[in-house]
């Protein structure tokens, strides 16, 4: 095998941003499609009801209030 063909083989196996974004786009599309099926809608509803129940007990402390007051523009 010559040096030129070794370089060509390594370039083909090298991950690229283009391949990453194509794969990410395909994954997002598949998830969006699956979320519109009856099973996907049931899963989303179950997750939503679970998340809503856990967030009700949060309170604002004095430290948090002071932080938010100092960060406002």
């Amino acid at each position: 095998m010559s040096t030129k063909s070794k370089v060509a083989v390594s370039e083909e196996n090298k991950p690229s941003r283009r391949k990453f974004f194509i794969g990410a786009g395909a994954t997002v599309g598949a998830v969006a499609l699956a979320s519109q099926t009856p099973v996907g809608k049931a899963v989303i509803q179950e997750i939503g009801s679970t998340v809503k129940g856990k967030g009700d007990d949060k309170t604002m402390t004095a430290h948090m209030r002071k932080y938010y007051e100092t960060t406002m523009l």
Side-chain angles (χ1 to χ4, degrees):
M1 193 181 255
S2 69
T3 307
K4 195 172 195 176
S5 60
K6 286 181 183 178
V7 172
V9 171
S10 68
E11 287 294 322
E12 290 175 8
N13 295 333
K14 183 179 174 183
S16 67
R17 280 180 259 176
R18 180 180 291 163
K19 289 180 183 178
F20 170 77
F21 284 113
I22 289 172
T27 303
V28 168
V31 169
L33 184 65
S35 69
Q36 298 305 312
T37 63
V39 174
K41 288 180 181 181
V43 169
I44 291 171
Q45 185 177 13
E46 181 68 28
I47 291 171
S49 65
T50 303
V51 171
K52 285 180 186 174
K54 290 183 179 180
D56 295 337
D57 60 346
K58 292 184 180 180
T59 57
M60 180 80 71
T61 64
H63 178 267
M64 292 168 66
R65 249 184 261 110
K66 182 179 178 185
Y67 171 77
Y68 286 122
E69 287 173 2
T70 59
T71 58
M72 289 181 140
L73 296 177

